C-alpha cells in the first residue's frame, strides 16, 4: 500500500520531489533489477528484510537509511514476517539541477558516488539524515510560508551531510571544466526526450562535438547518453500506465517517444523487469 506524504513540483513536467510511505506484506513479490532515474532515499520505519544493491545483500532493519543514486539497480529480495513499512523520498535529476545549489559544483551527484560508499546507513549512524528527512517531511505536510525554499535548503544540507559524514562523494571526483556545457545538453534532453532526438542536436546545444559530448556524458554520469534518454521515456511511461487517464499501450508508447509497441515492450522490460501490461496490472505478474 502506498500513502502519499507530499510533493514539490517546479516548472517542467519532470521537475519534482516526492515523498510517500510504502507498506509491503511478507507475501508480496517484488521487482528485480529495479531502477529509475530519480535519486532515492528510503528509511525503514518498521519490519526487516533484505535489500540488493551494488551486487551486495544488505540487511534491512528499523531506522536504517538507504541511499540510491539514479539508474542504480536495487530491489528488496526478502521481507520479514511482520512486513515492511518504508518512507521513500524521490527527486528527479531536473529537480536537483533547478533546486539544489550544490548541482552547479557537482553536477553528477545524482548519478554517481564514491566507490567506497555503502548504500546502507544503519540506524546508529543515521541520526543526522533522519533529522533532515524529518524536516523535509514536516515542510511537505505543513506547506507553511516559503516551505519550498526551506525544502531546497534541506536538500543542499542533505548532500553536504552525505559527503561530509558518509563519504558519498569525494570533492575531487567528477568535477569537469565542461560541466556547464554538459548540463546545457542535458537540459535540452529533459525538455525533448519524447521527440526524435539526434546526437548532433544535443551536442550543438552544449557547444561540444558529438563524440566529446558522449564521452563526457559517460565520464560524469556513469551511464550512456541513450540509456539516459530511454530511462526518461520509461519513467514517463510508468506515470501514464498508472495515471487516471486510461490510455492503451500503443498510445503510451507513441507519447513517450517509441515508434512501436515491440520496441517499447523490450525497453520497458529491460528497465523495470516487467512488461507494460504487467506493470499496469502487477497481480498478473505473480
Amino acid at each position: 500500500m502506498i500513502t502519499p506524504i507530499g510533493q514539490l513540483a517546479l516548472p517542467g513536467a519532470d521537475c519534482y520531489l516526492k515523498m510517500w510511505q510504502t507498506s509491503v506484506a511478507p507475501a508480496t513479490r517484488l521487482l528485480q533489477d529495479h531502477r529509475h532515474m530519480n535519486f532515492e532515499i528510503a528509511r525503514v520505519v518498521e519490519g526487516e528484510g533484505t535489500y540488493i544493491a551494488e551486487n551486495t545483500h544488505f540487511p534491512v532493519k528499523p531506522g536504517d537509511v538507504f541511499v540510491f543514486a539514479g539508474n542504480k539497480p536495487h530491489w528488496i529480495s526478502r521481507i520479514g514476517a511482520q512486513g515492511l513499512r518504508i518512507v521513500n523520498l524521490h527527486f528527479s535529476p531536473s529537480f536537483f539541477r533547478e533546486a539544489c545549489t550544490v548541482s552547479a559544483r557537482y553536477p553528477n551527484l545524482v548519478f554517481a558516488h564514491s566507490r567506497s560508499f555503502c548504500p546502507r546507513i544503519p540506524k546508529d549512524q543515521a541520526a543526522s539524515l533522519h533529522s533532515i528527512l524529518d524536516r523535509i517531511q514536516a515542510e511537505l505536510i505543513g506547506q507553511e510560508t516559503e516551505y519550498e525554499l526551506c525544502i531546497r535548503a534541506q536538500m543542499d544540507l542533505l548532500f553536504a551531510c552525505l559527503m561530509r559524514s558518509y563519504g558519498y562523494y569525494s570533492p575531487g571526483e567528477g568535477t569537469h571544466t565542461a560541466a556547464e556545457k554538459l548540463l546545457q545538453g542535458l537540459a535540452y534532453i529533459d525538455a525533448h526526450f519524447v521527440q526524435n532526438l539526434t546526437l548532433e542536436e544535443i551536442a550543438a546545444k552544449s557547444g561540444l562535438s558529438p563524440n566529446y559530448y558522449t564521452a563526457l556524458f559517460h565520464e560524469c554520469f556513469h551511464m550512456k547518453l541513450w540509456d539516459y534518454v530511454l530511462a526518461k521515456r520509461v519513467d514517463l511511461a510508468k506515470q501514464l500506465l498508472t495515471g487516471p487517464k486510461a490510455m492503451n499501450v500503443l498510445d503510451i508508447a507513441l507519447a513517450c517517444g517509441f515508434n512501436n509497441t515491440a520496441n517499447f515492450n523490450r525497453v520497458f522490460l529491460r528497465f523495470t523487469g516487467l512488461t507494460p501490461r504487467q506493470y499496469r496490472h502487477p497481480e498478473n505478474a505473480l
Side-chain angles (χ1 to χ4, degrees):
M1 182 176 67
I2 296 177
T3 305
I5 293 175
Q7 70 176 47
L8 174 59
L10 300 178
D14 66 340
C15 194
Y16 59 84
L17 173 148
K18 296 180 180 179
M19 181 178 278
W20 68 89
Q21 179 175 275
T22 303
S23 299
V24 190
T28 301
R29 178 179 176 181
L30 299 179
L31 304 180
Q32 292 191 359
D33 199 19
H34 170 65
R35 68 176 72 192
H36 45 70
M37 300 310 297
N38 294 335
F39 190 97
E40 176 180 351
I41 297 181
R43 59 171 171 169
V44 184
V45 180
E46 294 178 348
E48 57 89 24
T50 303
Y51 242 125
I52 297 179
E54 308 288 345
N55 297 315
T56 303
H57 290 68
F58 295 99
V60 174
K61 297 181 180 180
D64 288 352
V65 175
F66 288 84
V67 179
F68 303 113
N71 203 42
K72 296 289 185 181
H74 60 278
W75 65 91
I76 297 175
S77 64
R78 183 183 67 85
I79 302 173
Q82 303 304 313
L84 271 176
R85 186 156 63 92
I86 296 176
V87 171
N88 293 93
L89 175 69
H90 276 213
F91 54 91
S92 68
S94 299
F95 183 90
F96 172 72
R97 292 196 300 274
E98 293 295 327
C100 302
T101 57
V102 70
S103 66
R105 190 171 184 179
Y106 307 116
N108 60 340
L109 278 184
V110 289
F111 296 120
H113 56 66
S114 300
R115 294 183 179 89
S116 60
F117 175 72
C118 178
R120 176 182 182 255
I121 300 172
K123 177 183 178 180
D124 61 355
Q125 301 174 26
S128 55
L129 288 177
H130 281 296
S131 178
I132 295 171
L133 293 171
D134 283 340
R135 289 196 288 271
I136 292 174
Q137 182 169 335
E139 294 292 345
L140 287 171
I141 294 173
Q143 295 190 11
E144 298 182 11
T145 303
E146 299 297 346
Y147 78 98
E148 301 98 331
L149 183 61
C150 291
I151 291 175
R152 291 187 184 205
Q154 292 302 319
M155 293 302 297
D156 277 325
L157 183 60
L158 173 68
F159 277 108
C161 179
L162 285 173
M163 288 190 287
R164 173 181 290 181
S165 301
Y166 304 103
Y168 175 81
Y169 193 86
S170 299
E173 295 183 75
T175 19
H176 203 289
T177 56
E180 183 175 346
K181 293 184 176 181
L182 178 68
L183 293 180
Q184 290 172 356
L186 197 65
Y188 183 78
I189 294 173
D190 288 346
H192 302 88
F193 65 90
V194 299
Q195 299 174 13
N196 187 25
L197 290 172
T198 67
L199 174 58
E200 287 71 22
E201 64 183 301
I202 296 171
K205 293 297 179 180
S206 68
L208 302 173
S209 71
N211 287 340
Y212 183 54
Y213 188 85
T214 54
L216 181 60
F217 192 99
H218 188 272
E219 176 188 344
C220 288
F221 296 137
H222 295 196
M223 72 179 74
K224 297 177 181 178
L225 185 152
W226 294 114
D227 280 348
Y228 178 80
V229 174
L230 291 176
K232 296 281 291 183
R233 292 176 176 178
V234 169
D235 281 350
L236 175 59
K238 290 192 291 187
Q239 296 176 41
L240 297 178
L241 284 165
T242 57
K245 183 179 179 180
M247 296 176 64
N248 63 48
V249 172
L250 175 58
D251 287 342
I252 291 176
L254 296 176
C256 296
F258 297 96
N259 53 13
N260 57 66
T261 54
N263 189 34
F264 174 48
N265 288 341
R266 177 181 58 80
V267 173
F268 196 92
L269 180 64
R270 173 188 162 199
F271 278 89
T272 68
L274 295 174
T275 68
R277 295 185 189 280
Q278 289 173 330
Y279 188 87
R280 173 174 270 171
H281 303 289
E283 65 277 7
N284 296 334
L286 299 178

